[in-house]
Amino acid sequence: MSKYKIKTAKGYDFFEVASALQKSIRRGLEDEAMYWAVELFNSNFAEYVWKRLRIIASEDVGLAVPGIASEIAALYQHHKLQASKKDDKNQPERLFLTHAVLLLCRSEKSRVVDHALIYHWMRHEHRHLDIPDVALDKHNERGRQLGRGWKHFFEEGTLLVNLGDVPGEESYRQRARDVIGGAAPSLFQSAEDAEG
């Protein structure tokens, strides 16, 4: 049998079932998604179902639910652990597969990760960016040659955009600067100043 002529337990084309599973999840069609997931599972394609679910987590949900990939990965680990116990009669590992399918169906969706992948990978070969000046700091040779030390690092290198509202952020930033400056004030001087 050709690798492209794989059939499931009920005689469906394997690739059509895989596509039906993903399209159902994309559209939030739980009943249909579960049907196709069960068909693949009963056809001994459990590992393939999990591969698709991990892909769907990033491809079709992605940033709409930022922790979704971790949740699906955790459910997969639970599935594998339970399956390794060989409880063939009840197959409790199916619980985790069901959980994952329903979770993905009910999740808000976004294709931004996949669209970004296509956009950036397809155009990468045709682009060339220069290293930005801010990247030249105490951690690389060109930055050190420019005399950039801790002072530059705190003022430029650690600049954050979309700063979260995290208690202690500014306090710890200042304390870090103080401990660097207090322990060795010369660390805030540029190499050029230190030489002069």
Side-chain angles (χ1 to χ4, degrees):
M1 179 183 286
S2 164
K3 67 177 183 177
Y4 300 110
K5 296 286 187 186
I6 303 169
K7 296 292 185 182
T8 66
K10 288 190 172 183
Y12 293 107
D13 178 272
F14 166 83
F15 297 100
E16 291 179 5
V17 173
S19 182
L21 171 64
Q22 187 157 5
K23 303 309 186 295
S24 297
I25 290 174
R26 284 177 180 167
R27 287 156 178 76
L29 303 173
E30 289 183 12
D31 189 59
E32 292 86 343
M34 281 304 308
Y35 179 86
W36 300 120
V38 171
E39 178 65 10
L40 288 168
F41 182 91
N42 288 346
S43 304
N44 296 316
F45 294 121
E47 281 299 315
Y48 178 82
V49 175
W50 280 108
K51 180 182 113 171
R52 290 294 342 142
L53 297 181
R54 291 193 300 270
I55 289 170
I56 290 166
S58 289
E59 191 172 76
D60 298 317
V61 178
L63 299 184
V65 184
I68 195 73
S70 297
E71 291 186 54
I72 297 302
L75 289 167
Y76 175 56
Q77 291 306 314
H78 292 321
H79 171 94
K80 285 199 330 185
L81 179 62
Q82 192 63 55
S84 71
K85 296 180 180 178
K86 304 294 185 198
D87 185 355
D88 295 333
K89 181 180 177 187
N90 295 314
Q91 294 182 300
E93 65 270 19
R94 297 176 302 171
L95 180 68
F96 308 110
L97 182 61
T98 302
H99 185 168
V101 171
L102 295 180
L103 182 62
L104 289 167
C105 283
R106 294 181 184 197
S107 294
E108 292 184 350
K109 308 294 193 293
S110 169
R111 300 260 316 150
V112 69
V113 173
D114 192 46
H115 292 153
L117 179 153
I118 293 165
Y119 175 75
H120 289 290
W121 260 259
M122 294 294 286
R123 69 192 293 249
H124 186 77
E125 187 178 330
H126 309 289
R127 297 182 75 203
H128 177 82
L129 297 181
D130 294 327
I131 299 293
D133 182 69
V134 71
L136 304 177
D137 64 15
K138 67 185 286 308
H139 298 100
N140 51 63
E141 187 58 33
R142 280 205 290 163
R144 288 188 290 272
Q145 287 176 0
L146 291 168
R148 293 176 175 176
W150 283 106
K151 183 175 187 295
H152 176 270
F153 182 68
F154 274 102
E155 291 175 358
E156 298 292 334
T158 61
L159 179 67
L160 300 175
V161 174
N162 278 346
L163 180 63
D165 185 17
V166 179
E169 179 80 34
E170 190 51 43
S171 170
Y172 266 108
R173 177 181 172 78
Q174 188 57 51
R175 289 160 77 183
R177 288 189 66 151
D178 291 347
V179 76
I180 293 295
S186 63
L187 290 175
F188 278 118
Q189 296 176 345
S190 68
E192 191 174 290
D193 292 339
E195 289 173 4

